[in-house]
Amino acid sequence: MTGALWQWNARELARAIAARDVSSREVVESCLARLDRVNPQINAVVDVLAEEALAAADRADQAVARRERLGALHGVPVTVKINADYAGRATTNGVVAFKDRIASADSPAVANWRKAGAIIIGRTNVPAFSARFFTDNALYGRTLNPWAPGRTPGGSSGGAAAAVATGIGPLAHGSDRAGSIRYPAYACGVFGLRPTIGRVPSFASSSPQEPSLTTQLTHAQGPLARNIEDLRLGLHTMAVRDPRDPWWVPAPFDQSSQRQPLRVALCMPPTSARADAAVVDAIKTAARALQDAGCEIEESSPPRLQEAAELFFSLIKTEEKAGTTRAIEELGDDALRRARVSTMAAAAEMDLQGYVQAFARRASMLREWQLFFERLPLLLIPISYRLPLPIDFDQGGDQPVKEMLHAHEPMLAISSLGLPGLAVPTGIADGVPVGVQLVAGRFEEELCLWAGAMIEKQLASATPIDPKAA
């Protein structure tokens, strides 16, 4: 273990703190100093918790001295997203009107990381309502991609991904409905896992009403990190039961499912996608890495991919016309309102019969994908057919947004079906990160993580980095 403490990974830090090789206070001070240095350039963390983080670090060190039983993240600095409830602070979700919406209790993900001993040093930026692929809002301003300030850091977990990429903390909490973990991880060159729906518990005490059915079936909480080992640690500690979530499933983390030689479906972008050459190269590079690790690669596409992708925003449009869409019209910032209009223009609104039939179609698609995974247990597919987009690409009107949603087809399909998806960086192209997505059957996160580790061995991560000047 070399370098400044902010450069260490979470597992190294937890072991060193438990062994009293370093103190939690030293680690937290190092990460806060890093935050002070880089955050003014990228605006990733919008609620800094320095004072209480240092107090928590002192308590963590006292627990070590008393030889208490320590959690897996004891004394380790992390960040959480500003749309997750943090008791006593506002869950703003990047909306000016919500700046005083104080949470009465921690969300399950926050509570579980605290139980594991993690120390939350700050809360990260999101787009307003967490509803764009670009992290910017009227309350906190724009988060910049640390690799290329002219490109999106992704959304909605753009602050989380930028914080991890620049060393503000080794682990970040994120959430993913339409790709909000995977796309920021892709754009910032880090690892991000969207777990199966029901793997990590979720609940928002600050929300005045329950989420729509589609949101319940598609919205997942998960971790972002600079390596697979930390990502696994973040997932396992986040996935502990919480009775407030009726969807949580006590599914085991089964590493025995790693069948050797593992058969992998390689899904190349269709010609109609007009994919960037770097995206195609990334898929081929990852396939070679898996092949070198002993996997059998077969070029094959999962069933009804485009149909599954198109279903996502059609369900959102149908369900949220009188709810979130109206709230965005009334309370969202100008950029979000423009993006929302164009996004909804690309989706189909259904009547009651069409809506009911849509969920029947979703069930049949999920069944077909599960059967697909019986023959080919892992899917290697792009995250997006395009490199990280220029900032505010979604402000150009209906046609650019339609092109963007088509490019994001591989993310949206996985979201529609509630499956696990892992973003894995593979390198840098044209000055921005590029990567791939690994997908498996329900609750097969360990399979994705195993394959991600095989790619990681051959394509070492380039983070943490110093942000490029704006």
Side-chain angles (χ1 to χ4, degrees):
M1 296 179 287
T2 58
L5 290 173
W6 62 263
Q7 296 174 301
W8 293 21
N9 68 42
R11 194 175 291 276
E12 287 173 341
L13 289 171
R15 288 170 179 162
I17 291 167
R20 304 179 75 172
D21 294 331
V22 298
S23 69
S24 178
R25 173 171 267 272
E26 289 173 318
V27 173
V28 170
E29 285 178 338
S30 180
C31 287
L32 286 173
R34 179 65 176 174
L35 186 155
D36 288 342
R37 178 185 168 194
V38 302
N39 199 55
Q41 297 174 254
I42 59 173
N43 193 36
V45 178
V46 292
D47 185 16
V48 180
L49 305 172
E51 185 175 336
E52 60 186 79
L54 289 170
D58 289 339
R59 291 194 297 273
D61 289 331
Q62 291 162 11
V64 174
R66 291 192 298 267
R67 300 186 183 277
E68 294 180 8
R69 183 175 181 180
L70 308 180
L73 289 174
H74 188 84
V76 176
V78 302
T79 61
V80 299
K81 207 170 166 182
I82 200 75
N83 69 354
D85 283 349
Y86 184 103
R89 302 190 80 85
T91 307
T92 67
N93 209 5
V95 179
V96 173
F98 298 160
K99 63 184 177 62
D100 297 318
R101 183 182 279 184
I102 306 300
S104 60
D106 288 342
S107 73
V110 173
N112 283 341
W113 267 8
R114 284 206 216 242
K115 290 173 188 173
I119 295 176
I120 299 165
I121 62 171
R123 303 169 72 210
T124 54
N125 203 16
V126 298
F129 284 90
S130 295
R132 291 176 64 200
F133 293 101
F134 306 81
T135 297
D136 185 19
N137 60 70
L139 181 58
Y140 302 119
R142 187 186 303 280
T143 295
L144 297 182
N145 188 317
W147 292 91
R151 302 290 187 107
T152 179
S156 60
S157 304
V164 168
T166 55
I168 290 175
L171 264 177
H173 157 267
S175 57
D176 187 311
R177 188 171 73 156
S180 292
I181 289 173
R182 291 162 291 160
Y183 192 57
Y186 171 68
C188 293
V190 298
F191 296 85
L193 178 65
R194 167 204 166 83
T196 309
I197 297 302
R199 170 66 81 182
V200 175
S202 182
F203 173 70
S205 64
S206 63
S207 179
Q209 60 188 20
E210 296 289 345
S212 70
L213 180 57
T214 297
T215 296
Q216 293 180 49
L217 294 175
T218 60
H219 192 206
Q221 311 290 314
L224 299 94
R226 294 190 293 268
N227 59 71
I228 289 291
E229 185 180 34
D230 280 0
L231 204 67
R232 178 181 282 112
L233 178 61
L235 172 66
H236 285 210
T237 50
M238 193 184 285
V240 179
R241 174 184 179 270
D242 190 300
R244 294 174 294 176
D245 185 357
W247 289 104
W248 182 82
V249 176
F253 288 100
D254 184 11
Q255 297 189 28
S256 67
S257 64
Q258 297 159 10
R259 294 170 278 268
Q260 288 292 338
L262 180 66
R263 302 192 69 199
V264 179
L266 170 61
C267 183
M268 297 297 294
T271 304
S272 61
R274 299 194 299 275
D276 288 339
V279 171
V280 176
D281 290 343
I283 286 286
K284 292 178 179 178
T285 298
R288 286 194 296 270
L290 290 175
Q291 193 168 36
D292 290 345
C295 297
E296 293 182 0
I297 309 297
E298 177 180 325
E299 193 165 331
S300 180
S301 297
R304 301 162 70 179
L305 176 68
Q306 184 177 355
E307 182 182 355
E310 292 173 350
L311 180 64
F312 183 85
F313 277 115
S314 292
L315 285 171
I316 294 295
K317 182 176 184 176
T318 301
E319 288 184 345
E320 296 187 356
K321 184 175 182 180
T324 301
T325 296
R326 179 173 295 176
I328 287 172
E329 291 170 355
E330 296 175 355
L331 304 175
D333 53 41
D334 291 342
L336 174 58
R337 284 197 290 266
R338 283 190 291 268
R340 185 74 169 191
V341 167
S342 294
T343 300
M344 293 301 102
E349 184 176 350
M350 295 172 277
D351 59 16
L352 178 59
Q353 183 178 5
Y355 177 69
V356 172
Q357 289 175 343
F359 280 105
R361 287 193 293 121
R362 178 186 181 275
S364 67
M365 283 187 279
L366 184 53
R367 180 180 300 110
E368 291 177 28
W369 278 59
Q370 289 289 98
L371 291 170
F372 176 84
F373 287 128
E374 285 295 299
R375 190 174 70 84
L376 296 164
L378 188 72
L379 172 64
L380 172 60
I381 190 170
I383 293 168
S384 174
Y385 298 137
R386 299 280 302 276
L387 289 171
L389 293 168
I391 55 174
D392 291 339
F393 186 86
D394 62 347
Q395 300 298 290
D398 292 357
Q399 186 57 37
V401 169
K402 184 178 180 180
E403 293 172 9
M404 176 185 74
L405 296 179
H406 179 56
H408 293 350
E409 183 178 280
M411 279 191 300
L412 295 174
I414 304 327
S415 292
S416 288
L417 301 177
L419 293 170
L422 170 64
V424 179
T426 58
I428 307 298
D430 298 331
V432 291
V434 64
V436 298
Q437 182 177 200
L438 296 170
V439 184
R442 297 179 71 238
F443 301 105
E444 290 277 17
E445 290 86 1
E446 285 292 350
L447 194 57
C448 295
L449 292 169
W450 176 87
M454 296 304 102
I455 297 172
E456 181 185 19
K457 283 182 180 179
Q458 296 196 34
L459 306 171
S461 173
T463 55
I465 63 164
D466 289 329
K468 302 295 188 295

